[in-house]
Amino acid sequence: MSAPVAPLLEVRDVELRIGGLHILRGVTFDVRENEFFTVIGPNGAGKTSLLNVLSRIYHPTAGSVAFDGRSLLEVRRTGLADLGIARTFQNLALFEHMDVMDNVVLGRQRLMRSGVLTGAVWWGRARREEAEARQACEPLIDLLGLGDFLNRPIRDLPYGIKKRIELARALAVEPRLLLLDEPAAGMNDEETEELADWILTAKQELGVTVVMIEHDMGMVTRLGDRALVLDFGTVVTIESPRAAIADPRVISAYLGDETEEADDPTATGTIAVGIPLGQDRKAKHA
């Protein structure tokens, strides 16, 4: 009988306190290699804080985080790319004056070894590495359908295309683990659906493991293999996305106690009323 395969990412009993705030409380979960793992929860649940722990922006107060058997808490933030971990953020961080290829190539900096001097004068090794990086990024440009926008400045492109460029830049790191922080934030339904297609295509073609925070439940149920639900920094459940959003505890976390007024959350892939942080939820936890 074969031994069980160790998870790619292991999070154990993670606590996070910042000042007087207790943000994460004993968070424990595993992510298997090639899995599409989603993290959902109401506003203020601790989702982005959890991603900040995984990407070494925050250091947890207690607990452990391991990637491929190695403690991430002993790795500097600048060393994550060398391990094969890449991240996108809610807000775009593209260089607006540069074109698409220049932005995507920046994702390959960890693979380039030129010194400051040769890089500054773009000579010798630096010039060769630049050419190699551009060549290596061409399949990503094709994979994400960015060829038609290649030589246009970022500032002239639609928001949905910019999100796709940011995804391509993260994939240029050649990650084994891709962390996505609300990739559909600020997008309309059509843009969200299109971006979901590109994310799924990239995952399938490149074999990358994904951990994604997202508020759009249609996107979560379509893409996710499992969903971790957080509420006030505590794990509510970890199961399939459709099972998770149908869980009475999850509906209660989003909507307060008035669950009898909620629509069937599995009918459209969304949790009832669009998930604003309503007065009922505030009063419940006051």
Side-chain angles (χ1 to χ4, degrees):
M1 185 175 181
S2 60
V5 178
L8 182 65
L9 180 69
E10 299 176 85
V11 178
R12 294 288 181 269
D13 300 315
V14 165
E15 302 273 338
L16 179 64
R17 292 178 182 268
I18 298 179
L21 298 177
H22 197 170
I23 298 174
L24 298 175
R25 304 167 183 264
V27 174
T28 295
F29 64 93
D30 294 331
V31 179
R32 299 183 288 266
E33 191 149 19
N34 296 320
E35 185 174 18
F36 203 121
F37 191 87
T38 59
V39 182
I40 65 175
N43 291 331
K47 304 181 298 296
T48 294
S49 293
L50 175 60
L51 218 61
N52 285 342
V53 168
L54 299 183
S55 55
R56 300 296 291 118
I57 294 173
Y58 293 161
H59 191 87
T61 310
S64 64
V65 181
F67 175 72
D68 199 19
R70 176 178 178 179
S71 174
L72 276 186
L73 304 185
E74 299 174 359
V75 178
R76 291 188 177 187
R77 191 188 317 169
T78 54
L80 292 181
D82 291 329
L83 291 182
I85 300 175
R87 175 181 175 172
T88 66
F89 292 82
Q90 292 180 29
N91 299 320
L92 288 170
L94 299 173
F95 292 90
E96 296 278 325
H97 63 286
M98 297 167 64
D99 64 25
V100 173
M101 178 61 86
D102 286 339
N103 271 273
V104 175
V105 165
L106 286 174
R108 295 191 64 82
Q109 289 302 306
R110 77 172 183 94
L111 303 172
M112 301 168 73
R113 298 290 182 259
S114 300
V116 175
L117 179 60
T118 55
V121 298
W122 202 53
W123 174 80
R125 182 175 182 175
R127 189 167 185 170
R128 289 194 302 272
E129 286 187 335
E130 174 80 10
E132 291 167 0
R134 289 176 173 273
Q135 186 175 12
C137 287
E138 288 174 359
L140 284 177
I141 297 294
D142 292 339
L143 180 65
L144 295 178
L146 295 170
D148 291 342
F149 313 99
L150 205 54
N151 297 314
R152 293 176 57 183
I154 298 296
R155 61 176 175 268
D156 295 338
L157 297 175
Y159 185 74
I161 301 299
K162 291 180 181 180
K163 282 283 191 176
R164 214 188 303 171
I165 295 165
E166 186 174 48
L167 175 62
R169 185 175 63 185
L171 291 171
V173 176
E174 298 183 3
R176 294 178 63 194
L177 176 64
L178 178 63
L179 307 175
L180 301 176
D181 190 356
E182 295 191 33
M187 304 179 77
N188 60 37
D189 291 344
E190 183 178 350
E191 290 171 333
T192 296
E193 185 174 351
E194 186 176 6
L195 182 64
D197 287 337
W198 292 114
I199 292 173
L200 189 59
T201 296
K203 184 196 179 301
Q204 292 173 340
E205 292 295 322
L206 302 176
V208 65
T209 303
V210 179
V211 174
M212 179 181 76
I213 293 174
E214 185 51 64
H215 277 296
D216 188 291
M217 294 301 125
M219 190 172 183
V220 168
T221 55
R222 178 183 174 190
L223 300 181
D225 296 315
R226 289 189 297 154
L228 177 153
V229 185
L230 287 175
D231 188 29
F232 285 100
T234 300
V235 175
V236 177
T237 187
I238 304 174
E239 49 193 322
S240 74
R242 286 195 176 275
I245 65 176
D247 190 314
R249 296 170 297 169
V250 177
I251 298 173
S252 177
Y254 275 106
L255 301 178
D257 291 326
E258 297 184 1
T259 56
E260 67 276 9
E261 298 182 4
D263 297 331
D264 177 6
T266 63
T268 62
T270 59
I271 293 184
V273 296
I275 324 174
L277 184 58
Q279 295 301 315
D280 292 331
R281 174 173 158 81
K282 292 178 181 177
K284 176 184 175 184
H285 295 285

